[in-house]
Amino acid sequence: MKSLKFNSDLSKLFRYFEDTFENVLNLTTDTECVVCGSQSFGKRLCKDCALVINGPPAITTQKVGPHEVHYFGFYEDKLREFILAYKFKNHHSLAKSFGEMLYKTVVVNNIPVELITYVPATKSAKKKRGYDHMRLIAIELSKRLRIPMVDALKAVRETDQLLTKDRAEAVKGKFALRKEAKLLEGKKIILIDDVLTTGNTMLEAVRILKSAKHDNISCCVIALNKG
């Protein structure tokens, strides 16, 4: 009888370890990429999405008014999926990936920078997501470059695109200076945003910064929307 009980206990122990091993195996093989949903084998990103971060940034710029805007890549394919997952699927952990992309863009293009600031989200966008998506990216870029990030701007109204087809008019008066903006005085500033389409949002943010005599401003975005 003792032998039977021993064998039974041994069998239960074996099944326990077998089940544990299977659970660990499933964890490391059946996870999904947070960007595209493909199998990622225990990692946050699948191989194809990881390649986006590891890829080289653009060495060209996009002219917006009198400013040259640097960008990591084009708003298409995998990079577009990255941005949509971050902004609309609550994958705020991707801020680190975007910080890496912008870091590479700054370094490869030798952009002079002493302080980082960003185009802030509106109140409704922050309420919907639970965070300011560009602020999180600015924090990550600050860590990589080892220079401070400053909350220089605030969005004081929503972008009123329903009342006008003029994008420049729609963003006029959207931003205001925060008291922290005084820290930018005399510094080489980099202003970051996620996607550059018409460039009017970036121009309005630059205009407000320059109203406080912050003239040494470089502009950089994650993606350029060619459409």
Side-chain angles (χ1 to χ4, degrees), residues 6 14 21 27 44 46 53 77 133 140 153 171 186 209 220 222 227:
F6 174 79
F14 177 78
F21 176 77
L27 178 64
R44 292 171 54 254
C46 67
I53 306 171
D77 303 327
H133 65 293
E140 293 299 331
L153 297 170
V171 300
L209 288 173
C220 190
I222 297 163

Side-chain angles (χ1 to χ4, degrees), residues 118-126 132-133 151-159 171-178 201 204-205 208:
Y118 59 95
V119 175
T122 61
K123 288 183 179 179
S124 63
K126 286 190 287 187
D132 187 320
H133 65 293
D151 298 300
L153 297 170
K154 58 183 176 181
V156 293
R157 73 172 182 83
E158 303 294 321
T159 303
V171 300
K172 191 174 181 180
K174 180 178 180 179
F175 305 114
L177 291 171
R178 299 170 64 99
T201 298
E204 179 65 9
I208 299 301

Side-chain angles (χ1 to χ4, degrees), residues 86 95 98-99 102 133-141 192 222:
Y86 179 57
F98 291 122
L102 289 177
H133 65 293
M134 287 311 303
R135 187 176 193 277
L136 294 187
I137 294 172
I139 290 171
E140 293 299 331
L141 180 59
I192 64 171
I222 297 163

Side-chain angles (χ1 to χ4, degrees), residues 40-102:
S40 60
F41 302 100
K43 298 181 179 180
R44 292 171 54 254
L45 301 175
C46 67
K47 183 179 179 181
D48 290 339
C49 286
L51 286 175
V52 175
I53 306 171
N54 296 329
I59 56 173
T60 54
T61 59
Q62 177 70 17
K63 189 81 170 180
V64 176
H67 305 284
E68 299 288 344
V69 181
H70 295 270
Y71 56 93
F72 177 80
F74 294 117
Y75 186 61
E76 59 188 18
D77 303 327
K78 285 291 184 182
L79 185 54
R80 180 175 180 273
E81 287 186 58
F82 254 92
I83 293 171
L84 292 178
Y86 179 57
K87 293 176 69 174
F88 303 111
K89 295 182 181 178
N90 201 33
H91 291 309
H92 59 272
S93 62
L94 289 173
K96 186 174 182 179
S97 299
F98 291 122
E100 178 67 18
M101 293 178 197
L102 289 177

Side-chain angles (χ1 to χ4, degrees), residues 136-150:
L136 294 187
I137 294 172
I139 290 171
E140 293 299 331
L141 180 59
S142 174
K143 293 176 183 177
R144 296 292 282 117
L145 289 174
R146 297 183 180 180
I147 59 174
M149 183 277 289
V150 177

